[in-house]
Amino acid sequence: MTQATRQQSSDTGRPGWTRLARRWLPAAALLLLAVAGYGLGLHHHLSLTALAENRDLLRNWVDAHLALALAAFMLAYVAVVALSIPGAAVMSIAGGFLFGWPLSVPATVVSAVAGAAIVFQIVKTSFGAALAERSGPFLERLSRGFAAHAFSLLLFLRLTPVFPFWAVNAVAGLSRIPFRTFILATAVGILPASLAFALVGAGLDRTIEAQLAAYRACVGAQGEAPCRLGLEASALLSTELVLGLSALGLVALVPVAIRLWRGGGT
């Protein structure tokens, strides 16, 4: 084989490998980082108990370096969402606790949308692209139908707390939802919950003080071994709040229902 022939063969094979690398390397990197995060136990450190135990240290740092602390918080939030690590609700509450809700809410929304966009785009260009290439007529119609009502359906999924945030990011990436629609529906959909969590965090001091007082009383009466300082995000969120967010989610489906009733469905 001549040098020119070898060069032509190499150039012919290169685009295929480049396309495969662009499609699958980001997905593999994201998966490896997520596995590493779980392996290091990062999700165990995202707890309100850890926040309560370190609240004075964290607040002193925030007071001394507000801009740096806010930037670090936002980067950590993006990483938590992008790597699908449980703890976004805790992060939202912690943001309200450390920065106050007026500053925390926009920072939380921007960070959550950025993290979600990373997952969406990586899934869309890897698994979503591969699925689209191999999809049959049924999946094709299903995908078109979902895309036709993309904003309302995604808004419903974002507003309703039953659906895990990371799962919605991945499922959306498998569909034909336009990127701009995904970003807008995500930002609007997470705003009510972000505000609610931030307000819970802004009033967390009283809960922490009550828990600390109970813990100290337990230690004084029984010793340290049987006592535990425990704060759970689920205990701070009322049933009424969950039902209210779910109701907003159902309202988001009204335009879809009207369109289908008028015969505008797929």
Side-chain angles (χ1 to χ4, degrees):
M1 182 181 292
T2 65
Q3 180 69 25
T5 305
R6 283 197 298 269
Q7 181 65 35
Q8 183 179 3
S9 175
S10 174
D11 290 343
T12 301
R14 192 172 300 152
W17 284 107
T18 302
R19 183 172 60 86
L20 286 175
R22 288 178 178 175
R23 172 177 289 187
W24 295 110
L25 279 181
L30 188 67
L31 181 60
L32 287 175
L33 287 173
V35 171
Y38 277 95
L40 293 172
L42 297 182
H43 54 292
H44 295 308
H45 299 288
L46 294 174
S47 68
L48 294 182
T49 300
L51 179 65
E53 292 172 345
N54 298 281
R55 65 170 179 161
D56 292 334
L57 177 65
L58 290 170
R59 276 196 160 160
N60 289 337
W61 188 58
V62 169
D63 291 341
H65 311 283
L66 177 60
L68 179 61
L70 186 62
F73 169 79
M74 293 179 69
L75 286 175
Y77 205 120
V78 171
V80 166
V81 174
L83 299 180
S84 303
I85 297 174
V90 173
M91 290 288 292
S92 298
I93 293 173
F97 177 75
L98 294 172
F99 303 105
W101 71 264
L103 192 57
S104 171
V105 171
T108 294
V109 171
V110 169
S111 303
V113 170
I118 292 172
V119 178
F120 172 81
Q121 197 63 21
I122 288 178
V123 171
K124 189 179 186 68
T125 55
S126 56
F127 299 101
L131 181 64
E133 291 171 359
R134 294 165 175 79
S135 61
F138 174 74
L139 287 178
E140 183 74 15
R141 289 196 301 271
L142 188 64
S143 180
R144 284 202 305 267
F146 192 85
H149 310 289
F151 183 83
S152 295
L153 291 174
L154 187 55
L155 190 60
F156 164 71
L157 294 174
R158 291 304 192 196
L159 286 167
T160 308
V162 176
F163 303 102
F165 193 76
W166 64 268
V168 176
N169 297 334
V171 170
L174 294 174
S175 70
R176 293 185 176 180
I177 295 178
F179 183 74
R180 292 176 62 180
T181 301
F182 175 83
I183 294 298
L184 182 59
T186 298
V188 174
I190 67 175
L191 184 57
S194 298
L195 177 59
F197 290 155
L199 289 173
V200 169
L204 193 58
D205 255 333
R206 292 187 297 272
T207 304
I208 291 177
E209 286 297 340
Q211 290 289 331
L212 286 173
Y215 175 76
R216 295 188 189 105
C218 177
V219 171
Q222 305 179 43
E224 191 171 347
C227 301
R228 178 176 174 270
L229 175 61
L231 283 171
E232 298 295 336
S234 58
L236 301 177
L237 304 178
S238 66
T239 303
E240 290 78 10
L241 174 60
V242 174
L243 290 176
L245 292 174
S246 299
L248 284 176
L250 292 175
V251 170
L253 289 179
V254 170
V256 177
I258 292 175
R259 202 174 305 162
L260 292 176
W261 180 68
R262 289 178 175 177
T266 56

